[in-house]
Amino acid sequence: LLVEMPLAHVELNTITYNAAVSACAKGGEWDQALRFLAEMASARVSLDTITYSAAVSACEKGGQWNQGLRLLVQMVSARGMRACGGDGVCPIGVGRHHIQCRSQCIRNRR
């Protein structure tokens, strides 16, 4: 469907890609969702919170937890956000990233 949209003069933008990534999430098609993210980056289409959330959901349904965590970290860094508010509470809060975030919070308090 996305391939046909430019032929119908429909702009491929964040909203149209988000719909496609969300459909992938519903179907557990994590690999296709990630291909859409790569395509968005190549086409210089902005990825937003909805994009990342849908892609993480697709990874979760596909049993690709590590890939989902990578996307969360990518979202945080792409937004220029700090992974931790300095209070030791990590919004991602899982795995190796949580340990790194917590260590950074402790260093920041000194």
Side-chain angles (χ1 to χ4, degrees):
L1 186 58
L2 280 181
V3 173
E4 296 173 15
M5 291 178 80
L7 299 173
H9 305 289
V10 176
E11 179 185 4
L12 292 175
N13 58 26
T14 303
I15 295 168
T16 55
Y17 274 108
N18 283 353
V21 175
S22 292
C24 291
K26 287 183 173 89
E29 296 290 330
W30 66 273
D31 51 342
Q32 181 60 52
L34 296 182
R35 283 194 289 275
F36 283 139
L37 264 61
E39 191 176 306
M40 289 175 77
S42 294
R44 298 183 190 268
V45 174
S46 297
L47 283 75
D48 63 11
T49 304
I50 295 167
T51 312
Y52 282 107
S53 178
V56 168
S57 180
C59 290
E60 177 265 324
K61 288 186 175 133
Q64 301 297 315
W65 291 98
N66 285 334
Q67 189 62 41
L69 287 173
R70 280 191 211 101
L71 287 171
L72 287 172
V73 171
Q74 179 183 337
M75 179 183 71
V76 167
S77 66
R79 301 251 177 251
M81 297 164 41
R82 288 180 43 182
C84 176
D87 56 3
V89 177
C90 176
I92 297 172
V94 240
R96 184 173 50 116
H97 175 77
H98 177 66
I99 293 167
Q100 291 170 345
C101 178
R102 188 117 166 99
S103 297
Q104 185 64 40
C105 286
I106 293 167
R107 281 195 298 274
N108 288 344
R109 286 186 191 163
R110 294 182 188 157

